[in-house]
Amino acid sequence: MSNKMHIKLKVNGKDEEFLADPRELLIYTLRERLNITGPHIGCETSHCGACTVTIDGKSVKACTMFVAQASGKEITTIEGIGGPDDLHPLQTAFKEHHGLQCGYCTPGMITRAAKLLEENPNPTEEEIRFGMAGNICRCTGYQNIIKSIQAAAAEMNAAKEAAE
Amino acid sequence: MIPAAFEYHRPQDMAEVLAVLEEHGDEARVMAGGHSLIPMMKLRMADVPHLIDLQDVGGLSNIDIGDDSIRIGAMVTQAAIIDHEGLGAVAPILREAALQIADPQVRYMGTVGGNVANGDPGNDMPGLMQCLDATFTVVGPEGERDIPAREFYEAAYMTAREDDEVLTSVTIPLPRGGYAYEKQKRKIGDYATAAAAVQIENDGGTCASVAIAMTNLSDTPVYSEAAGAALVGTSVDDVAIKAAVAAMLGDIDPTEDNRGPVAFKKHVAGVILRRAIERAWSRA
């Protein structure tokens, strides 16, 4: 019954245009249509945050947004935060502080953490735990994720000071 | 996970929203942040052949603080409530409650209007708005009308808003005195096992006025006039708080679910209300 819609997105700096069913969930657009498979699907009730991306400056669970809603917006996924040759300080810190094991929550975790540190560059441990509460991890017990985010914050703040 | 197909509408103004609603009747539904509706559509528990996305409709995202009231547009997000400095100063209970709703990602998207219009007794803002004696403004084919929050909720998912009406704003008289939103939940993002909103005025050690509402302890939020009446004129001592809790227990009607049996929920409701009264009073 539904007509395909003309959708325009900017994903990791690249313009994308295509026809899609309005009901297509953004997470499927990213993964299956655009082959951006870093964001994952861990649930169907909007709890786990494995699909977290940044949309127009907000951390959003891409499983809870229709592609029709997202049309016209700018999206950043883990692939846009940093790649193997240009790791973001958060990616380096997750590696060095063992902030991941299976790696399934990690793209959502790091994407969310990047936004958290943008809003609050010096978070306390409590603020990190609360600020990351929309992201579930099965492996780490969170402890090393907190350490990773703290280390990245310190690194990013030092780099900012050095640049000033 | 996979919602049924629908026609998508993204109107630019309210007249267009109302026109789509009129054309498609109960086949059409407005969507704000989408963080209750989309999950229901993914489970095929909500059937929405025509989805009306409100994101481009102007004038729904303002927070206006006046001399005696606050007007919050229906599309104001929970994140905006938390970040708004002026609001934190004049009505801190809103921020305290919003921080207990969902998680960061959901709060960037979920709106005040969606929270109060949804009609799920699990939502926190309905009880909060009853406590604050808020008024909801809805607009429909006949124009605008105001509905007091205390008269808005009829049953689970049943409210005084008609199908062809859209909730556009929430107006709150400037709250006075001490406040608390106390919520017992199993984990972050959970709806309350029991929650209580309290706004209380202290006049020289005596409770001059108080409003008390409870969340997720009936098929609607519960504004407990009797609980308030038990506190007014007292020094909010242990005896008065016990009387308020007893009165509140007479007004709620919880049902058993995986948050616990009825007896447990009543017990938790009493604990939570006591904490909320004590904290609000300490701030009054």
Side-chain angles (χ1 to χ4, degrees), chain B residues 132-199:
Chain B
L132 296 176
D133 200 13
T135 301
F136 302 154
T137 301
V138 299
V139 62
E142 318 286 306
E144 269 190 4
R145 66 185 179 112
D146 291 336
I147 309 168
R150 292 175 188 173
E151 295 167 18
F152 188 75
Y153 299 95
E154 295 164 354
Y157 300 102
M158 302 283 285
T159 68
R161 182 185 62 82
E162 299 294 337
D163 282 347
D164 57 0
E165 291 177 321
V166 181
L167 193 148
T168 54
S169 67
V170 174
T171 303
I172 303 166
L174 278 190
R176 292 195 299 259
Y179 66 93
Y181 192 76
E182 195 79 38
K183 177 175 175 180
Q184 169 64 43
K185 56 183 193 252
R186 297 170 301 178
K187 59 185 170 61
I188 283 280
D190 193 21
Y191 284 146
T193 304
V198 175
Q199 189 81 37

Short mmCIF file of all heavy atoms in Angstrom, two decimals, chain B residues 132-199:
data_model
loop_
_atom_site.label_atom_id
_atom_site.label_comp_id
_atom_site.label_asym_id
_atom_site.label_seq_id
_atom_site.Cartn_x
_atom_site.Cartn_y
_atom_site.Cartn_z
N LEU B 132 1.38 18.96 39.55
CA LEU B 132 1.60 20.39 39.31
C LEU B 132 0.34 21.11 38.85
O LEU B 132 0.38 22.30 38.57
CB LEU B 132 2.72 20.57 38.28
CG LEU B 132 4.10 20.05 38.72
CD1 LEU B 132 5.11 20.18 37.59
CD2 LEU B 132 4.59 20.81 39.95
N ASP B 133 -0.76 20.38 38.73
CA ASP B 133 -2.04 20.95 38.26
C ASP B 133 -1.89 21.60 36.88
O ASP B 133 -2.39 22.70 36.63
CB ASP B 133 -2.61 21.97 39.27
CG ASP B 133 -4.09 22.20 39.06
OD1 ASP B 133 -4.72 21.41 38.32
OD2 ASP B 133 -4.63 23.16 39.63
N ALA B 134 -1.21 20.90 36.00
CA ALA B 134 -1.00 21.39 34.64
C ALA B 134 -2.29 21.32 33.83
O ALA B 134 -3.24 20.61 34.19
CB ALA B 134 0.08 20.55 33.96
N THR B 135 -2.28 22.08 32.75
CA THR B 135 -3.38 22.05 31.79
C THR B 135 -2.82 21.67 30.42
O THR B 135 -1.78 22.18 30.02
CB THR B 135 -4.03 23.44 31.69
OG1 THR B 135 -4.51 23.79 32.98
CG2 THR B 135 -5.18 23.44 30.69
N PHE B 136 -3.50 20.76 29.75
CA PHE B 136 -3.06 20.35 28.41
C PHE B 136 -3.92 21.09 27.38
O PHE B 136 -5.15 21.10 27.48
CB PHE B 136 -3.22 18.84 28.20
CG PHE B 136 -2.46 18.00 29.20
CD1 PHE B 136 -2.88 16.71 29.51
CD2 PHE B 136 -1.31 18.49 29.82
CE1 PHE B 136 -2.19 15.93 30.42
CE2 PHE B 136 -0.60 17.71 30.73
CZ PHE B 136 -1.05 16.42 31.04
N THR B 137 -3.27 21.67 26.39
CA THR B 137 -4.01 22.31 25.30
C THR B 137 -4.02 21.38 24.10
O THR B 137 -2.97 20.89 23.69
CB THR B 137 -3.36 23.66 24.92
OG1 THR B 137 -3.35 24.48 26.09
CG2 THR B 137 -4.14 24.35 23.81
N VAL B 138 -5.21 21.12 23.60
CA VAL B 138 -5.34 20.30 22.39
C VAL B 138 -6.01 21.14 21.32
O VAL B 138 -6.79 22.05 21.62
CB VAL B 138 -6.14 19.00 22.63
CG1 VAL B 138 -5.46 18.13 23.68
CG2 VAL B 138 -7.58 19.30 23.02
N VAL B 139 -5.70 20.84 20.06
CA VAL B 139 -6.34 21.54 18.96
C VAL B 139 -6.97 20.51 18.04
O VAL B 139 -6.40 19.44 17.81
CB VAL B 139 -5.34 22.47 18.23
CG1 VAL B 139 -4.19 21.68 17.61
CG2 VAL B 139 -6.05 23.29 17.17
N GLY B 140 -8.17 20.82 17.61
CA GLY B 140 -8.90 19.92 16.72
C GLY B 140 -9.68 20.72 15.70
O GLY B 140 -9.49 21.94 15.59
N PRO B 141 -10.56 20.06 14.99
CA PRO B 141 -11.33 20.75 13.95
C PRO B 141 -12.15 21.91 14.51
O PRO B 141 -12.41 22.88 13.81
CB PRO B 141 -12.25 19.67 13.39
CG PRO B 141 -11.90 18.40 14.05
CD PRO B 141 -10.87 18.63 15.08
N GLU B 142 -12.55 21.81 15.78
CA GLU B 142 -13.37 22.88 16.38
C GLU B 142 -12.52 23.97 17.00
O GLU B 142 -13.05 24.87 17.63
CB GLU B 142 -14.28 22.30 17.47
CG GLU B 142 -14.94 20.98 17.14
CD GLU B 142 -16.05 21.15 16.14
OE1 GLU B 142 -16.94 21.97 16.40
OE2 GLU B 142 -16.00 20.48 15.08
N GLY B 143 -11.21 23.84 16.90
CA GLY B 143 -10.32 24.83 17.52
C GLY B 143 -9.65 24.26 18.77
O GLY B 143 -9.60 23.05 18.96
N GLU B 144 -9.15 25.19 19.59
CA GLU B 144 -8.39 24.77 20.77
C GLU B 144 -9.29 24.57 21.98
O GLU B 144 -10.30 25.23 22.13
CB GLU B 144 -7.40 25.89 21.14
CG GLU B 144 -6.05 25.75 20.49
CD GLU B 144 -5.03 26.74 21.06
OE1 GLU B 144 -5.34 27.49 22.01
OE2 GLU B 144 -3.93 26.76 20.52
N ARG B 145 -8.87 23.64 22.85
CA ARG B 145 -9.49 23.58 24.17
C ARG B 145 -8.46 23.12 25.18
O ARG B 145 -7.45 22.48 24.84
CB ARG B 145 -10.72 22.66 24.18
CG ARG B 145 -10.42 21.21 23.94
CD ARG B 145 -11.72 20.39 23.83
NE ARG B 145 -11.40 19.00 23.57
CZ ARG B 145 -11.62 17.99 24.45
NH1 ARG B 145 -12.18 18.23 25.61
NH2 ARG B 145 -11.29 16.75 24.13
N ASP B 146 -8.72 23.47 26.44
CA ASP B 146 -7.81 23.14 27.53
C ASP B 146 -8.42 22.04 28.39
O ASP B 146 -9.60 22.08 28.71
CB ASP B 146 -7.56 24.37 28.42
CG ASP B 146 -6.73 25.42 27.68
OD1 ASP B 146 -6.01 25.05 26.74
OD2 ASP B 146 -6.84 26.60 28.05
N ILE B 147 -7.58 21.07 28.74
CA ILE B 147 -8.06 19.97 29.59
C ILE B 147 -7.11 19.87 30.79
O ILE B 147 -5.90 19.71 30.60
CB ILE B 147 -8.04 18.63 28.83
CG1 ILE B 147 -8.76 18.75 27.48
CG2 ILE B 147 -8.66 17.53 29.69
CD1 ILE B 147 -8.55 17.56 26.56
N PRO B 148 -7.66 19.97 32.01
CA PRO B 148 -6.77 19.81 33.18
C PRO B 148 -6.15 18.40 33.20
O PRO B 148 -6.85 17.41 32.91
CB PRO B 148 -7.71 20.00 34.38
CG PRO B 148 -8.93 20.67 33.83
CD PRO B 148 -9.05 20.22 32.41
N ALA B 149 -4.87 18.33 33.55
CA ALA B 149 -4.20 17.03 33.63
C ALA B 149 -4.94 16.09 34.58
O ALA B 149 -4.98 14.88 34.37
CB ALA B 149 -2.75 17.22 34.08
N ARG B 150 -5.54 16.69 35.62
CA ARG B 150 -6.23 15.86 36.61
C ARG B 150 -7.52 15.25 36.07
O ARG B 150 -8.12 14.39 36.72
CB ARG B 150 -6.49 16.68 37.89
CG ARG B 150 -5.19 17.02 38.61
CD ARG B 150 -5.40 17.93 39.81
NE ARG B 150 -4.10 18.36 40.35
CZ ARG B 150 -3.95 19.26 41.32
NH1 ARG B 150 -5.02 19.82 41.87
NH2 ARG B 150 -2.75 19.60 41.75
N GLU B 151 -7.96 15.72 34.88
CA GLU B 151 -9.18 15.16 34.28
C GLU B 151 -8.90 14.47 32.95
O GLU B 151 -9.83 14.06 32.25
CB GLU B 151 -10.22 16.28 34.07
CG GLU B 151 -10.72 16.88 35.36
CD GLU B 151 -11.49 18.18 35.13
OE1 GLU B 151 -11.92 18.43 34.00
OE2 GLU B 151 -11.62 18.94 36.10
N PHE B 152 -7.62 14.36 32.59
CA PHE B 152 -7.26 13.93 31.24
C PHE B 152 -7.26 12.41 31.08
O PHE B 152 -7.55 11.88 30.02
CB PHE B 152 -5.88 14.49 30.90
CG PHE B 152 -5.44 14.29 29.47
CD1 PHE B 152 -5.98 15.06 28.45
CD2 PHE B 152 -4.47 13.34 29.14
CE1 PHE B 152 -5.57 14.90 27.12
CE2 PHE B 152 -4.06 13.18 27.82
CZ PHE B 152 -4.61 13.96 26.82
N TYR B 153 -6.93 11.70 32.16
CA TYR B 153 -6.68 10.25 32.03
C TYR B 153 -7.89 9.43 32.45
O TYR B 153 -8.37 9.55 33.57
CB TYR B 153 -5.44 9.87 32.85
CG TYR B 153 -4.22 10.59 32.33
CD1 TYR B 153 -3.79 11.79 32.90
CD2 TYR B 153 -3.55 10.13 31.20
CE1 TYR B 153 -2.71 12.49 32.39
CE2 TYR B 153 -2.46 10.82 30.68
CZ TYR B 153 -2.06 11.99 31.28
OH TYR B 153 -1.00 12.69 30.75
N GLU B 154 -8.39 8.61 31.53
CA GLU B 154 -9.62 7.85 31.79
C GLU B 154 -9.35 6.37 32.08
O GLU B 154 -9.99 5.76 32.92
CB GLU B 154 -10.55 8.00 30.58
CG GLU B 154 -11.02 9.46 30.41
CD GLU B 154 -11.61 9.79 29.06
OE1 GLU B 154 -11.57 8.90 28.17
OE2 GLU B 154 -12.09 10.92 28.89
N ALA B 155 -8.41 5.81 31.36
CA ALA B 155 -8.02 4.40 31.56
C ALA B 155 -6.71 4.23 30.79
O ALA B 155 -6.24 5.17 30.16
CB ALA B 155 -9.08 3.46 31.03
N ALA B 156 -6.14 3.02 30.84
CA ALA B 156 -4.89 2.81 30.12
C ALA B 156 -5.08 3.14 28.63
O ALA B 156 -5.98 2.59 27.99
CB ALA B 156 -4.43 1.38 30.29
N TYR B 157 -4.28 4.03 28.12
CA TYR B 157 -4.31 4.47 26.72
C TYR B 157 -5.61 5.18 26.33
O TYR B 157 -5.86 5.41 25.14
CB TYR B 157 -4.02 3.31 25.74
CG TYR B 157 -2.66 2.70 25.97
CD1 TYR B 157 -2.53 1.50 26.65
CD2 TYR B 157 -1.51 3.36 25.56
CE1 TYR B 157 -1.28 0.96 26.90
CE2 TYR B 157 -0.26 2.83 25.81
CZ TYR B 157 -0.14 1.63 26.47
OH TYR B 157 1.09 1.10 26.73
N MET B 158 -6.45 5.49 27.32
CA MET B 158 -7.69 6.23 27.04
C MET B 158 -7.58 7.59 27.73
O MET B 158 -7.43 7.66 28.96
CB MET B 158 -8.90 5.48 27.61
CG MET B 158 -9.08 4.08 27.08
SD MET B 158 -9.77 4.06 25.43
CE MET B 158 -11.47 4.48 25.80
N THR B 159 -7.67 8.65 26.93
CA THR B 159 -7.59 9.98 27.51
C THR B 159 -8.72 10.85 26.97
O THR B 159 -9.45 10.44 26.07
CB THR B 159 -6.24 10.66 27.16
OG1 THR B 159 -6.22 10.94 25.74
CG2 THR B 159 -5.05 9.79 27.53
N ALA B 160 -8.80 12.06 27.52
CA ALA B 160 -9.86 12.99 27.12
C ALA B 160 -9.58 13.61 25.74
O ALA B 160 -10.44 14.30 25.20
CB ALA B 160 -10.01 14.10 28.16
N ARG B 161 -8.41 13.36 25.19
CA ARG B 161 -8.12 13.87 23.84
C ARG B 161 -8.89 13.03 22.82
O ARG B 161 -8.86 11.80 22.85
CB ARG B 161 -6.62 13.76 23.55
CG ARG B 161 -6.19 14.31 22.19
CD ARG B 161 -4.71 14.06 21.94
NE ARG B 161 -4.38 12.64 21.91
CZ ARG B 161 -4.54 11.85 20.86
NH1 ARG B 161 -5.01 12.33 19.73
NH2 ARG B 161 -4.24 10.56 20.94
N GLU B 162 -9.60 13.70 21.91
CA GLU B 162 -10.31 12.98 20.85
C GLU B 162 -9.32 12.57 19.76
O GLU B 162 -8.25 13.17 19.62
CB GLU B 162 -11.40 13.89 20.24
CG GLU B 162 -12.46 14.35 21.22
CD GLU B 162 -13.33 13.21 21.76
OE1 GLU B 162 -13.41 12.17 21.10
OE2 GLU B 162 -13.89 13.37 22.86
N ASP B 163 -9.69 11.58 18.96
CA ASP B 163 -8.79 11.07 17.92
C ASP B 163 -8.41 12.13 16.90
O ASP B 163 -7.34 12.06 16.29
CB ASP B 163 -9.46 9.90 17.18
CG ASP B 163 -9.38 8.62 17.99
OD1 ASP B 163 -8.61 8.60 18.98
OD2 ASP B 163 -10.08 7.65 17.65
N ASP B 164 -9.30 13.11 16.69
CA ASP B 164 -8.97 14.14 15.69
C ASP B 164 -8.33 15.38 16.32
O ASP B 164 -8.26 16.43 15.71
CB ASP B 164 -10.22 14.53 14.88
CG ASP B 164 -11.36 15.02 15.76
OD1 ASP B 164 -11.19 15.07 17.00
OD2 ASP B 164 -12.41 15.36 15.21
N GLU B 165 -7.88 15.24 17.57
CA GLU B 165 -7.21 16.36 18.24
C GLU B 165 -5.73 16.06 18.46
O GLU B 165 -5.34 14.90 18.60
CB GLU B 165 -7.86 16.63 19.60
CG GLU B 165 -9.28 17.20 19.48
CD GLU B 165 -9.93 17.39 20.84
OE1 GLU B 165 -9.76 16.54 21.73
OE2 GLU B 165 -10.64 18.40 20.99
N VAL B 166 -4.94 17.14 18.50
CA VAL B 166 -3.50 17.02 18.73
C VAL B 166 -3.15 17.83 19.96
O VAL B 166 -3.57 18.98 20.10
CB VAL B 166 -2.71 17.56 17.52
CG1 VAL B 166 -1.21 17.41 17.76
CG2 VAL B 166 -3.12 16.84 16.25
N LEU B 167 -2.39 17.22 20.86
CA LEU B 167 -1.93 17.95 22.04
C LEU B 167 -0.79 18.87 21.63
O LEU B 167 0.19 18.43 21.04
CB LEU B 167 -1.49 16.95 23.11
CG LEU B 167 -1.27 17.51 24.52
CD1 LEU B 167 -1.62 16.45 25.56
CD2 LEU B 167 0.15 17.99 24.73
N THR B 168 -0.95 20.17 21.90
CA THR B 168 0.04 21.14 21.41
C THR B 168 0.93 21.72 22.51
O THR B 168 2.06 22.11 22.23
CB THR B 168 -0.64 22.31 20.68
OG1 THR B 168 -1.64 22.87 21.55
CG2 THR B 168 -1.28 21.83 19.39
N SER B 169 0.41 21.81 23.73
CA SER B 169 1.25 22.36 24.79
C SER B 169 0.75 21.95 26.17
O SER B 169 -0.39 21.50 26.34
CB SER B 169 1.33 23.89 24.70
OG SER B 169 0.08 24.45 24.99
N VAL B 170 1.64 22.16 27.13
CA VAL B 170 1.35 21.89 28.54
C VAL B 170 1.62 23.18 29.29
O VAL B 170 2.69 23.76 29.14
CB VAL B 170 2.27 20.76 29.07
CG1 VAL B 170 2.09 20.57 30.57
CG2 VAL B 170 2.02 19.47 28.32
N THR B 171 0.65 23.64 30.07
CA THR B 171 0.84 24.87 30.84
C THR B 171 0.79 24.53 32.33
O THR B 171 -0.12 23.84 32.79
CB THR B 171 -0.25 25.90 30.50
OG1 THR B 171 -0.21 26.13 29.09
CG2 THR B 171 0.01 27.21 31.22
N ILE B 172 1.81 25.00 33.04
CA ILE B 172 1.97 24.65 34.45
C ILE B 172 1.99 25.94 35.28
O ILE B 172 2.81 26.81 35.00
CB ILE B 172 3.30 23.90 34.66
CG1 ILE B 172 3.37 22.66 33.78
CG2 ILE B 172 3.50 23.55 36.13
CD1 ILE B 172 4.77 22.07 33.70
N PRO B 173 1.12 26.06 36.28
CA PRO B 173 1.27 27.20 37.19
C PRO B 173 2.64 27.12 37.85
O PRO B 173 3.10 26.02 38.18
CB PRO B 173 0.16 26.98 38.23
CG PRO B 173 -0.70 25.89 37.71
CD PRO B 173 0.08 25.12 36.70
N LEU B 174 3.31 28.25 38.04
CA LEU B 174 4.65 28.21 38.64
C LEU B 174 4.59 27.48 39.98
O LEU B 174 3.86 27.88 40.87
CB LEU B 174 5.17 29.63 38.88
CG LEU B 174 5.81 30.37 37.71
CD1 LEU B 174 6.48 31.64 38.21
CD2 LEU B 174 6.79 29.50 36.95
N PRO B 175 5.34 26.39 40.11
CA PRO B 175 5.28 25.62 41.36
C PRO B 175 5.90 26.41 42.52
O PRO B 175 6.83 27.19 42.31
CB PRO B 175 6.12 24.37 41.07
CG PRO B 175 6.54 24.44 39.66
CD PRO B 175 6.26 25.80 39.13
N ARG B 176 5.37 26.19 43.71
CA ARG B 176 5.89 26.87 44.88
C ARG B 176 6.29 25.86 45.94
O ARG B 176 5.65 24.81 46.09
CB ARG B 176 4.83 27.82 45.47
CG ARG B 176 4.52 29.01 44.56
CD ARG B 176 3.77 30.08 45.33
NE ARG B 176 2.50 29.56 45.81
CZ ARG B 176 1.32 29.81 45.22
NH1 ARG B 176 1.27 30.56 44.15
NH2 ARG B 176 0.22 29.30 45.70
N GLY B 177 7.38 26.18 46.65
CA GLY B 177 7.77 25.36 47.79
C GLY B 177 8.73 24.23 47.41
O GLY B 177 9.41 24.28 46.39
N GLY B 178 8.76 23.21 48.27
CA GLY B 178 9.67 22.09 48.07
C GLY B 178 9.08 21.07 47.12
O GLY B 178 7.87 21.03 46.90
N TYR B 179 9.96 20.24 46.56
CA TYR B 179 9.51 19.32 45.52
C TYR B 179 10.28 18.01 45.62
O TYR B 179 11.40 17.97 46.16
CB TYR B 179 9.78 19.92 44.13
CG TYR B 179 11.27 20.05 43.87
CD1 TYR B 179 12.00 19.03 43.22
CD2 TYR B 179 11.98 21.14 44.35
CE1 TYR B 179 13.37 19.12 43.04
CE2 TYR B 179 13.35 21.23 44.18
CZ TYR B 179 14.04 20.22 43.52
OH TYR B 179 15.39 20.31 43.36
N ALA B 180 9.70 16.96 45.10
CA ALA B 180 10.46 15.71 44.91
C ALA B 180 9.72 14.85 43.89
O ALA B 180 8.48 14.80 43.88
CB ALA B 180 10.61 14.95 46.22
N TYR B 181 10.49 14.20 43.02
CA TYR B 181 9.95 13.11 42.23
C TYR B 181 10.76 11.87 42.59
O TYR B 181 11.95 11.78 42.29
CB TYR B 181 10.01 13.38 40.72
CG TYR B 181 9.17 12.36 39.96
CD1 TYR B 181 7.78 12.48 39.95
CD2 TYR B 181 9.75 11.26 39.33
CE1 TYR B 181 6.99 11.53 39.32
CE2 TYR B 181 8.97 10.31 38.70
CZ TYR B 181 7.59 10.45 38.69
OH TYR B 181 6.81 9.50 38.08
N GLU B 182 10.12 10.97 43.28
CA GLU B 182 10.80 9.78 43.80
C GLU B 182 10.28 8.58 43.03
O GLU B 182 9.07 8.40 42.90
CB GLU B 182 10.47 9.65 45.29
CG GLU B 182 11.34 8.70 46.06
CD GLU B 182 12.69 9.29 46.43
OE1 GLU B 182 12.76 10.48 46.77
OE2 GLU B 182 13.67 8.54 46.38
N LYS B 183 11.19 7.76 42.51
CA LYS B 183 10.77 6.65 41.64
C LYS B 183 11.52 5.39 42.00
O LYS B 183 12.75 5.39 42.06
CB LYS B 183 11.05 7.03 40.17
CG LYS B 183 10.72 5.96 39.14
CD LYS B 183 10.93 6.51 37.71
CE LYS B 183 10.73 5.44 36.65
NZ LYS B 183 10.94 5.99 35.28
N GLN B 184 10.78 4.32 42.23
CA GLN B 184 11.39 3.00 42.41
C GLN B 184 11.31 2.28 41.08
O GLN B 184 10.23 2.16 40.49
CB GLN B 184 10.65 2.22 43.49
CG GLN B 184 11.01 0.75 43.58
CD GLN B 184 12.46 0.54 43.99
OE1 GLN B 184 12.95 1.21 44.88
NE2 GLN B 184 13.14 -0.38 43.33
N LYS B 185 12.45 1.83 40.57
CA LYS B 185 12.43 1.07 39.33
C LYS B 185 13.48 -0.02 39.39
O LYS B 185 14.40 0.03 40.22
CB LYS B 185 12.65 1.99 38.13
CG LYS B 185 13.92 2.83 38.18
CD LYS B 185 14.00 3.75 36.97
CE LYS B 185 15.38 4.35 36.82
NZ LYS B 185 15.43 5.76 37.16
N ARG B 186 13.36 -1.01 38.51
CA ARG B 186 14.24 -2.16 38.57
C ARG B 186 15.61 -1.84 37.99
O ARG B 186 16.62 -2.44 38.36
CB ARG B 186 13.63 -3.34 37.81
CG ARG B 186 12.31 -3.83 38.42
CD ARG B 186 11.60 -4.81 37.52
NE ARG B 186 11.30 -4.22 36.23
CZ ARG B 186 10.71 -4.87 35.23
NH1 ARG B 186 10.37 -6.13 35.37
NH2 ARG B 186 10.47 -4.24 34.09
N LYS B 187 15.62 -0.91 37.07
CA LYS B 187 16.88 -0.52 36.42
C LYS B 187 16.63 0.75 35.62
O LYS B 187 15.49 1.18 35.47
CB LYS B 187 17.37 -1.64 35.50
CG LYS B 187 16.35 -2.00 34.41
CD LYS B 187 16.84 -3.19 33.60
CE LYS B 187 15.79 -3.75 32.66
NZ LYS B 187 15.29 -2.85 31.64
N ILE B 188 17.73 1.31 35.08
CA ILE B 188 17.62 2.48 34.19
C ILE B 188 16.64 2.16 33.08
O ILE B 188 16.66 1.06 32.51
CB ILE B 188 19.01 2.80 33.58
CG1 ILE B 188 19.91 3.50 34.58
CG2 ILE B 188 18.87 3.63 32.29
CD1 ILE B 188 19.66 4.98 34.75
N GLY B 189 15.80 3.14 32.79
CA GLY B 189 14.92 3.00 31.64
C GLY B 189 13.63 2.25 31.92
O GLY B 189 12.77 2.17 31.05
N ASP B 190 13.50 1.71 33.12
CA ASP B 190 12.29 0.96 33.44
C ASP B 190 11.19 1.92 33.84
O ASP B 190 11.45 2.97 34.43
CB ASP B 190 12.58 0.00 34.59
CG ASP B 190 11.48 -1.04 34.79
OD1 ASP B 190 10.71 -1.28 33.84
OD2 ASP B 190 11.39 -1.59 35.90
N TYR B 191 9.96 1.53 33.54
CA TYR B 191 8.83 2.25 34.12
C TYR B 191 8.80 1.93 35.61
O TYR B 191 9.31 0.91 36.06
CB TYR B 191 7.52 1.82 33.45
CG TYR B 191 7.30 2.38 32.06
CD1 TYR B 191 6.63 1.63 31.10
CD2 TYR B 191 7.73 3.66 31.72
CE1 TYR B 191 6.39 2.14 29.82
CE2 TYR B 191 7.49 4.18 30.45
CZ TYR B 191 6.83 3.42 29.50
OH TYR B 191 6.59 3.92 28.26
N ALA B 192 8.14 2.81 36.36
CA ALA B 192 8.17 2.72 37.83
C ALA B 192 7.45 1.48 38.34
O ALA B 192 6.40 1.09 37.82
CB ALA B 192 7.52 3.96 38.43
N THR B 193 8.02 0.87 39.38
CA THR B 193 7.24 -0.03 40.22
C THR B 193 6.26 0.84 41.00
O THR B 193 5.08 0.50 41.15
CB THR B 193 8.17 -0.79 41.20
OG1 THR B 193 9.16 -1.48 40.44
CG2 THR B 193 7.38 -1.77 42.06
N ALA B 194 6.78 1.96 41.47
CA ALA B 194 5.95 3.00 42.10
C ALA B 194 6.73 4.30 42.04
O ALA B 194 7.96 4.29 42.17
CB ALA B 194 5.63 2.66 43.55
N ALA B 195 6.04 5.39 41.81
CA ALA B 195 6.70 6.71 41.85
C ALA B 195 5.72 7.72 42.42
O ALA B 195 4.50 7.55 42.32
CB ALA B 195 7.17 7.14 40.47
N ALA B 196 6.31 8.76 43.04
CA ALA B 196 5.48 9.79 43.66
C ALA B 196 6.01 11.17 43.32
O ALA B 196 7.23 11.40 43.35
CB ALA B 196 5.47 9.61 45.18
N ALA B 197 5.11 12.07 42.97
CA ALA B 197 5.44 13.48 42.76
C ALA B 197 4.84 14.28 43.90
O ALA B 197 3.65 14.12 44.20
CB ALA B 197 4.88 13.96 41.42
N VAL B 198 5.67 15.09 44.53
CA VAL B 198 5.20 15.91 45.66
C VAL B 198 5.70 17.33 45.49
O VAL B 198 6.88 17.57 45.22
CB VAL B 198 5.69 15.34 47.02
CG1 VAL B 198 5.30 16.28 48.16
CG2 VAL B 198 5.14 13.95 47.25
N GLN B 199 4.79 18.28 45.65
CA GLN B 199 5.14 19.70 45.67
C GLN B 199 4.47 20.26 46.92
O GLN B 199 3.25 20.14 47.08
CB GLN B 199 4.63 20.36 44.39
CG GLN B 199 5.09 21.79 44.16
CD GLN B 199 6.50 21.91 43.58
OE1 GLN B 199 6.91 21.11 42.74
NE2 GLN B 199 7.26 22.90 44.05
#
